[in-house]
């Protein structure tokens, strides 16, 4: 009796479907373990194919990392800003945005962001995508601020302040340095800044 078994061969898929499965597997891996986890072998293992197949579809891993990053953070941006309704005053709107972004259920995306700044220093494709996504967040926040104040507040510095607050507190929370109640600290900071 032959007791040697071979792993099952991956199911043949049309190229478009294989592309989607690779991207989906890479996104799941990045969400669970961060961008640093995206290696040819790790993605292959997640998708259930050989590393050679990943390399065939994605010969430049840096580009896959940049694409996965972009997909994850643009989905978050669309979720948060896409249908954002202005209700009440500027303070209430900004507080709602900050509380949403600092929710601990978003720590997976916070890790992706934190790693993207570091990895993007050496991965030009990722660095370019990080800059693009940051510009989109900046302009999206400026739009919310502009709509919430009817031009009474300069939206550019206010958006920069919000991004710095959210990015800093999110990065701190990854190493458990932020206060337990990030929303409370955000509320107090916002009150101090807006007077």
């Amino acid at each position: 009796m032959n007791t040697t078994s071979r792993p099952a061969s991956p199911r043949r898929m049309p190229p478009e479907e294989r592309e989607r499965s690779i991207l989906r597997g890479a996104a799941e891996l990045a969400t669970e373990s961060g961008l640093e986890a995206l290696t040819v072998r790790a993605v292959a293992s997640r998708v259930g194919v050989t590393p050679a197949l990943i390399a065939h579809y994605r010969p430049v891993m840096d580009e896959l990392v940049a694409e996965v990053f972009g997909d994850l953070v643009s989905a978050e941006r669309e979720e948060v800003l896409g249908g954002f309704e202005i209700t009440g005053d500027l303070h209430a709107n900004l507080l709602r945005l900050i509380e949403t972004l600092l929710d601990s259920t978003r720590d997976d995306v916070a890790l992706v962001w934190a790693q993207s700044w570091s990895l993007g220093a050496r991965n030009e494709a990722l660095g370019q995508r990080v800059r693009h996504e940051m510009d989109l967040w900046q302009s999206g926040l400026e739009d919310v601020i502009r709509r919430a104040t009817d031009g009474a507040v300069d939206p550019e510095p206010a958006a920069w302040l919000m991004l710095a607050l959210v990015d800093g507190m999110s990065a701190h929370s990854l190493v458990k340095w932020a206060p337990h109640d990030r929303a409370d600290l955000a509320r107090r900071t916002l009150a101090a800044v807006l007077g």
Side-chain angles (χ1 to χ4, degrees):
M1 180 173 155
N2 185 356
T3 58
T4 307
S5 63
R6 277 201 250 155
S9 296
R11 180 175 70 86
R12 289 191 65 81
M13 294 180 181
E16 303 81 26
E17 188 179 343
R18 180 62 70 197
E19 272 285 334
R20 285 191 302 273
S21 77
I22 290 170
L23 196 53
R24 185 173 48 251
E28 290 168 358
L29 188 58
T31 301
E32 291 171 11
S33 303
L35 294 175
E36 288 180 329
L38 297 181
T39 65
V40 171
R41 288 188 185 282
V43 173
S45 177
R46 172 56 62 111
V47 178
V49 298
T50 65
L53 189 61
I54 298 296
H56 169 74
Y57 277 89
R58 295 306 181 115
V60 181
M61 199 63 186
D62 284 356
E63 292 174 6
L64 176 61
V65 171
E67 185 176 357
V68 167
F69 163 79
D71 289 352
L72 292 173
V73 301
S74 63
E76 181 189 42
R77 187 185 65 254
E78 181 56 34
E79 175 195 338
V80 174
L81 295 179
F84 190 80
E85 292 183 33
I86 303 299
T87 58
D89 63 3
L90 174 65
H91 186 272
N93 285 295
L94 294 185
L95 185 57
R96 191 163 36 102
L97 262 177
I98 288 174
E99 287 177 340
T100 298
L101 290 169
L102 291 178
D103 187 299
S104 63
T105 62
R106 296 182 184 280
D107 283 352
D108 54 352
V109 180
L111 176 60
V112 166
W113 268 110
Q115 288 184 350
S116 75
W117 296 317
S118 174
L119 297 173
R122 289 188 174 78
N123 172 342
E124 182 50 38
L126 178 58
Q128 185 176 7
R129 188 64 188 258
V130 169
R131 292 185 294 273
H132 175 71
E133 293 298 335
M134 290 173 70
D135 286 345
L136 293 175
W137 265 106
Q138 174 74 22
S139 62
L141 289 173
E142 285 181 22
D143 180 59
V144 167
I145 294 165
R146 191 176 295 109
R147 289 185 293 130
T149 64
D150 290 327
V153 171
D154 186 351
E156 183 184 11
W160 275 110
L161 179 65
M162 270 192 71
L163 285 173
L165 176 67
V166 169
D167 290 346
M169 290 179 76
S170 294
H172 294 162
S173 73
L174 293 173
V175 294
K176 312 294 186 247
W177 189 71
H180 178 68
D181 188 352
R182 290 184 273 174
D184 178 60
L185 179 58
R187 257 184 241 105
R188 289 185 290 127
T189 303
L190 200 55
V193 170
L194 295 178

